[in-house]
Amino acid sequence: MGFRDLLGKELLFFDGATGTMLQALGLQPGELPELWNFTHAAEVQSVHEAYLNNGSNIIKSNTFGANRLKFKGMDITVDEVVGAALKIGKAACAGRTKAFVALNLGPTGKLLAPYGDLPFEEAVDIYGEMVRSGARHGADLILIETMSDTYEIKAALLAAKENCDLPVIVTLTFDEDGKLLTGADVLSAVAMVEGLGADAVGFNCGLGPKQMRRLLPQLIEACSLPIVLNPNAGLPVQRDGKTVFDVAADEFAALMQEMIPLGISVAGGCCGTTPEHIKALIEKCHGMQPGGRRSCDLTVVASYGKAVVIGGEPVIIGERINPTGKPRLKQAILDADLDYICRLGLEQLENDAHILDVNVGVPGINEAAAAEKTVLALQAITSAPLQIDTSDYETMERAMRLYNGKPLLNSVSGKDESLAKVLPLVKKYGAVVVGLALDDDGIPATATGRLAIAEKIIARAAEYGIEKRNIIIDPLALTISTGPDNAAVDLEVIRKLAEQKIKTIMGVSNISFGLPSRDAVNSTFFTLAMEAGLSCAIINPQSKAMLDAYYAYRALKGLDEGCTAYVKRFADSGNKVPAAAVSEYTLRDAIVKGLQEQSRLAVTRLLETEKPLDIINTQMIPALDFVGNGFEKKNLFLPQLLMSADAAKAAFEVIRDRMADGGAVEKGAAVVIATVKGDIHDIGKNIVKVLLENYGYNVIDLGKDVAVEAIVKAVLEHRAHVVGLSALMTTTVGAMEATIKALRDVCNCRIVVGGAVLTQDYADSIGADHYAPNAVSAVGYVNEALEK
């Protein structure tokens, strides 16, 4: 039987850790585990066999970091590494029943653009190379694991789906608050993964079983896929100079036994788990029923950091990024003035929009290219989900492909051509799609006619495997100036669909086209539509009448406990931006919002009357502090932090250019940073670098996979008072400890450490002065240390 035949039908078991097991067999700190596929094949096979002998069904190939970035400059190919790993895995499984080899794909170690320097399509190609090789060499399934960035997850998943037909499991690494590195919560990340066609989803690494138990209910509620759970054996601690994990085999098994009945289909372990852990797990849990697939009726639209559930309270979709009747926006689209478009988006969000409609359809442009740039620009400065609004099929595909999350697509109609062209794209990219109640004969005059088209769209979508929950029907509001029954027909369609639990959406303002005082008609119709069951309203959120109707409706329906939001709206009403305005931002606000062009304009204005250092101290540093505090409190997320840093950098560049001598602002104290020997994962380090430079420090970035001697030499050469060290993998934290010992022998510098595998206790045990769980914490410590 194949893996798909068993998944969800009987409880399956992964193996445990590979890296820590190889370390026990002699893998040295900083040594690449994947090279052992050539030099220590027997030892790698013995690890696989130890797990299989204790009952594991699935072993992970020794390919976690087998991407071309890791082996750049070496006389070795990805195909050779993957082929050697799978040869070992297949040999270990030979002669066994229900034993499978998973091609193990870990993170690239890079942050994807626009936040980092790895283009999305290059990431897809990197993973595609690994997947093709894995499929060629006999992998039974693909495991995309230890993922903390939704964009990288999407790249890996698309690569898997486009390059093989193997089952795909995705496991994500959340922190204890249920957040990925780039800000996604469980719902937003899982909605995207399920939409893109994974066969199973779950958690691995970062947390032990106790911590994962707290997040498990969110995962169960968020999706219908079989669930995988591969926790660490607790959190790492340092004892007698070695990294150990503090949950023993019996305790690990008992904790997993409690969770499996909640809905787990595949169970195993990650860092610190041994064959003894997996043996104890299987002995306690063998024969238990798997969770399998579940019914899930959530309609979720998500970005990299925010999910909007459609079907509860009415959802507001901001309509202003649509050039129809907007000459200024039309010109901005033609000029690729993304700054103006981003400000339009931000102002709608500040005025309570939940989702932004994005339509860049202007005659004479390459709409697909314009949509691609606009989606990327908006997602760089806001975590709000987007509605991709176009009738052009190429634009649909390019925008959805590059969208970071689970998009809302507007739209498909009942026309046969539209159904045939759009629905395959919706399926591939996992979108929620708007279905228009029109067909080749136009828009029916009656509710019955429009409902029939809705049924056709839903039925045709089902043929592609698109669930009803991922379809939202637009009855299409026609102006009452041309038909007195138009409003009544729309309301009847909404009511009938609501009775069938089908979600609805509508461009509300179309009802008043051609009439004076349109807001009066629109706001009244909006209220009637919400009462009829309208799920989503495409409106101008900067229309006072529309938002007043929305908040009044929520209060009247008991959706606003204590009328809190209603009262707050009118207390804050003086701060709302008028619909016609697109404001210029202060330097502080431009940095906070991550707007580079606005930052340049604002600092240019300030330089006419203020001194550069005063601008830095009174505007820029407070803005960065505000963003940093928001990041630590988890009100802001990594992409917003990085965009703010880039906006501050843009302002600094203007200041440098305006200095009387044409030179740069004098650099501050030296700080040396590096990712330690053997580790190529430099995301955290690069974030710290950007922030430190914006605070004026002279950052000496030694890069990744840096030898102990090189770090010591740089610290002495630059007389650095602070050193920052980063490591992601358990197999490389030993190199961090060795670096700290070497530094202590020659200088008095302060040492700050960070990385996914570290904890405060571990940092203390290896002699670090400060443990930074995130980049902001690292920068705060540097500020404090150098002040002293």
Side-chain angles (χ1 to χ4, degrees), residues 164-488:
C164 75
D165 58 1
L166 296 173
V168 183
I169 293 175
V170 177
T171 54
L172 308 107
T173 301
F174 288 92
D175 64 20
E176 290 193 56
D177 294 319
K179 295 290 186 181
L180 296 183
L181 172 69
T182 50
D185 58 13
V186 174
L187 178 58
S188 56
V190 170
M192 184 197 75
V193 169
E194 181 169 6
L196 288 168
D199 292 87
V201 65
F203 300 149
N204 87 291
C205 206
L207 303 174
K210 291 180 183 178
Q211 295 82 14
M212 285 189 182
R213 172 67 179 83
R214 293 196 288 270
L215 300 180
L216 186 56
Q218 298 177 48
L219 177 59
I220 293 168
E221 184 181 359
C223 75
S224 61
L225 297 177
I227 288 175
V228 180
L229 209 61
N230 288 337
N232 291 347
L235 301 177
V237 295
Q238 186 81 354
R239 291 198 188 109
D240 301 324
K242 294 182 179 179
T243 304
V244 297
F245 291 80
D246 60 2
V247 176
D250 287 345
E251 182 185 359
F252 181 87
L255 291 167
M256 294 292 282
Q257 184 184 33
E258 293 175 7
M259 288 188 279
I260 285 172
L262 302 177
I264 307 304
S265 292
V266 189
C270 200
C271 298
T273 55
T274 64
E276 288 70 32
H277 285 81
I278 302 305
K279 179 181 179 181
L281 165 65
I282 295 171
E283 286 177 349
K284 276 191 177 292
C285 303
H286 182 72
M288 295 177 70
Q289 290 301 305
R293 293 187 66 93
R294 296 164 310 287
S295 175
C296 180
D297 196 37
L298 292 179
T299 301
V300 181
V301 177
S303 68
Y304 67 82
K306 185 177 293 184
V308 173
V309 178
I310 295 170
E313 296 189 26
V315 170
I316 296 173
I317 301 176
E319 69 180 6
R320 294 193 65 207
I321 305 177
N322 185 320
T324 304
K326 302 183 185 75
R328 176 65 184 89
L329 175 58
K330 185 178 295 186
Q331 192 60 48
I333 294 170
L334 290 169
D335 296 341
D337 184 356
L338 297 174
D339 181 84
Y340 179 85
I341 296 171
C342 286
R343 282 184 286 151
L344 273 180
L346 288 172
E347 289 179 0
Q348 292 180 90
L349 296 172
E350 289 163 3
N351 284 270
D352 304 327
H354 304 115
I355 297 171
L356 295 177
D357 183 79
V358 180
N359 184 319
V360 293
V362 174
I365 66 164
N366 183 329
E367 186 182 350
E372 177 181 316
K373 292 176 183 176
T374 302
V375 166
L376 290 175
L378 285 165
Q379 288 209 293
I381 53 91
T382 175
S383 62
L386 305 180
Q387 173 174 262
I388 297 163
D389 186 357
T390 180
S391 58
D392 180 74
Y393 305 131
E394 182 187 358
T395 301
M396 289 180 185
E397 173 147 33
R398 286 182 63 179
M400 286 197 292
R401 185 175 181 85
L402 290 174
Y403 181 82
N404 188 355
K406 182 181 175 73
L408 176 59
L409 177 66
N410 189 4
S411 55
V412 66
S413 72
K415 297 179 180 180
D416 289 334
E417 179 190 347
S418 177
L419 292 165
K421 294 281 191 179
V422 176
L423 292 179
L425 298 177
V426 172
K427 177 62 177 177
K428 178 176 181 178
Y429 295 108
V432 174
V433 66
V434 173
L436 304 181
L438 66 86
D439 59 15
D440 292 301
D441 295 323
I443 303 173
T446 66
T448 301
R450 296 186 202 182
L451 289 167
I453 294 174
E455 290 173 3
K456 176 184 177 181
I457 292 171
I458 292 168
R460 190 68 64 85
E463 295 174 9
Y464 289 89
I466 300 167
E467 297 178 69
K468 184 170 69 173
R469 63 179 169 130
N470 288 318
I471 302 168
I472 308 176
I473 298 297
D474 186 345
L476 295 172
L478 299 178
T479 177
I480 55 174
S481 64
T482 60
D485 296 331
N486 283 341

Side-chain angles (χ1 to χ4, degrees), residues 468-541:
K468 184 170 69 173
R469 63 179 169 130
N470 288 318
I471 302 168
I472 308 176
I473 298 297
D474 186 345
L476 295 172
L478 299 178
T479 177
I480 55 174
S481 64
T482 60
D485 296 331
N486 283 341
V489 169
D490 285 319
L491 296 174
E492 184 181 352
V493 174
I494 293 169
R495 276 192 293 268
K496 294 287 189 184
L497 291 172
E499 290 170 3
Q500 301 174 52
K501 296 185 178 180
I502 297 170
K503 282 76 175 182
T504 52
I505 186 171
M506 182 182 291
V508 176
S509 61
N510 291 337
I511 203 72
S512 66
F513 188 77
L515 296 175
S517 301
R518 295 182 64 185
D519 266 356
V521 176
N522 293 343
S523 59
T524 302
F525 180 63
F526 184 26
T527 302
L528 293 172
M530 287 189 287
E531 179 62 16
L534 183 67
S535 308
C536 307
I538 305 173
I539 66 170
N540 177 4

Side-chain angles (χ1 to χ4, degrees), residues 69 110 674-676 679-682 685 702-706:
L69 299 177
K110 291 286 188 180
T675 299
V676 298
D679 206 317
I680 67 157
H681 300 87
D682 58 358
K685 173 188 66 69
L702 301 180
K704 59 196 176 186
D705 190 19
V706 184

